[in-house]
């Protein structure tokens, strides 16, 4: 069974600080996705990573993928309160686009 | 923009009732998915469908069934609701791999928070 593990599960940080969320997965895949979920809302796509070494950046968030290590990271630079949300990674399988999601990382950025 | 809509945002049902959750997408996507989301467990796939009238079990299909009579609509059915089915239910859609434009992600609806009492 494919496993996707995120850590940490909870992250409380001060504004202006940097931090990294890790996503490890247990099978070979070269497609990984990051989503954001605000409280009471649905999932919003952040990044799509489609090959080894892929790096995407949007504002204060940067995502990367190392398929050999089966690891993706979501790096937060100079956090601001607006980034407070839950972040999920998901791994794509070749089976009809079936995704496996991590448990999510709940990020709280304190002013 | 892809739009995925779900019939209700909040639903309260009694134990033993038959419950229908509806999902509609407007992007002509072949793949549609139903997930449930529970704290600490992430999203777990209940069922998915890759074409009209086709369905595949996900990781937690017990107690659920689905219906896909039209391409744009995917229904999740709780035959006899139980309290352990209280959860947030999320529907998603995506185009098939061979036809997919870039990027490849699944698009999610707003979710239905179901409470079974």
């Amino acid at each position: 069974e494919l496993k996707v593990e995120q850590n940490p599960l909870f992250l409380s940080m001060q504004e202006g600080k940097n931090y990294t969320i890790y996503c490890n997965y247990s099978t070979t895949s070269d497609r990984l996705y990051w989503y954001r979920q605000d409280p009471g809302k649905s999932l919003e796509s952040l990044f799509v990573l489609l090959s080894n070494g892929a790096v995407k950046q949007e504002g204060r968030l940067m995502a990367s993928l190392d398929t050999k290590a089966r690891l993706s990271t979501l790096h937060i630079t100079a956090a601001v309160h607006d980034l407070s949300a839950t972040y999920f990674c998901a791994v794509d399988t070749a089976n009809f686009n079936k995704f496996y999601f991590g448990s999510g990382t709940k990020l709280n950025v304190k002013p | 923009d892809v739009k995925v809509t779900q019939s209700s945002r909040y639903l309260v049902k009694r134990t033993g009732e038959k419950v229908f959750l509806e999902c509609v997408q407007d992007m002509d996507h072949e793949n549609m998915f139903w997930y449930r989301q529970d704290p600490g467990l992430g999203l777990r796939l209940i069922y998915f469908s890759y074409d009209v009238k086709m369905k595949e079990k996900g990781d937690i299909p017990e107690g659920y069934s689905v219906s896909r009579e039209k391409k744009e609509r995917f229904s999740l059915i709780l035959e006899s609701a139980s309290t352990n089915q209280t959860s947030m239910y999320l529907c998603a859609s995506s185009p098939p791999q061979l036809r997919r434009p870039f990027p490849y992600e699944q698009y999610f609806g707003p979710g239905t928070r179901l409470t079974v009492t």
Side-chain angles (χ1 to χ4, degrees):
Chain A
E1 181 187 323
L2 191 155
K3 290 189 188 302
V4 182
E5 294 183 347
Q6 279 182 246
N7 69 82
L9 298 183
F10 298 94
L11 179 54
S12 183
M13 56 193 297
Q14 296 284 348
E15 279 193 328
K17 298 291 187 184
N18 304 333
Y19 209 84
T20 300
I21 298 170
Y22 297 89
C23 175
N24 291 272
Y25 54 97
S26 64
T27 192
T28 53
S29 175
D30 56 4
R31 294 192 294 272
L32 190 132
Y33 309 79
W34 284 96
Y35 286 86
R36 169 182 172 145
Q37 186 179 37
D38 292 300
K41 301 283 183 68
S42 190
L43 274 72
E44 171 192 353
S45 177
L46 286 175
F47 298 110
V48 178
L49 303 169
L50 297 177
S51 60
N52 186 40
V55 177
K56 296 279 184 74
Q57 181 158 9
E58 180 78 30
R60 300 173 189 273
L61 299 177
M62 183 173 72
S64 65
L65 178 62
D66 181 344
T67 58
K68 292 178 183 175
R70 299 181 185 174
L71 171 69
S72 180
T73 60
L74 180 66
H75 187 71
I76 303 153
T77 301
V80 293
H81 180 68
D82 284 353
L83 290 179
S84 297
T86 300
Y87 293 86
F88 290 93
C89 63
V91 174
D92 189 353
T93 68
N95 181 14
F96 300 109
N97 188 212
K98 188 176 171 183
F99 279 15
Y100 287 86
F101 282 83
S103 300
T105 296
K106 187 170 184 178
L107 173 65
N108 179 31
V109 181
K110 295 183 282 189
Chain B
D1 275 356
V2 177
K3 194 161 184 188
V4 181
T5 57
Q6 294 183 230
S7 49
S8 305
R9 292 300 306 274
Y10 300 94
L11 211 51
V12 180
K13 295 291 182 182
R14 293 194 180 276
T15 301
E17 280 193 81
K18 190 168 186 175
V19 181
F20 292 87
L21 303 182
E22 300 250 306
C23 175
V24 178
Q25 50 91 7
D26 66 358
M27 275 298 291
D28 201 35
H29 283 170
E30 278 81 355
N31 298 331
M32 295 188 74
F33 307 83
W34 275 107
Y35 295 89
R36 65 176 281 176
Q37 183 180 19
D38 301 288
L41 296 177
L43 278 74
R44 293 179 292 167
L45 182 64
I46 304 171
Y47 268 96
F48 66 102
S49 169
Y50 54 90
D51 204 348
V52 175
K53 296 193 184 297
M54 305 304 288
K55 60 186 179 186
E56 292 282 340
K57 291 180 181 179
D59 300 311
I60 52 163
E62 296 79 19
Y64 303 94
S65 61
V66 290
S67 172
R68 185 123 181 246
E69 296 297 318
K70 293 185 177 181
K71 191 175 186 180
E72 67 270 19
R73 188 179 299 268
F74 191 34
S75 301
L76 180 70
I77 303 155
L78 286 66
E79 296 289 343
S80 177
S82 64
T83 54
N84 63 12
Q85 293 179 309
T86 291
S87 186
M88 169 73 94
Y89 290 88
L90 292 166
C91 175
S93 74
S94 71
Q97 298 205 26
L98 294 178
R99 185 171 74 78
R100 201 172 296 161
F102 192 92
Y104 298 75
E105 71 259 44
Q106 292 183 10
Y107 298 87
F108 283 83
T112 296
R113 185 164 292 282
L114 172 67
T115 302
V116 182
T117 61

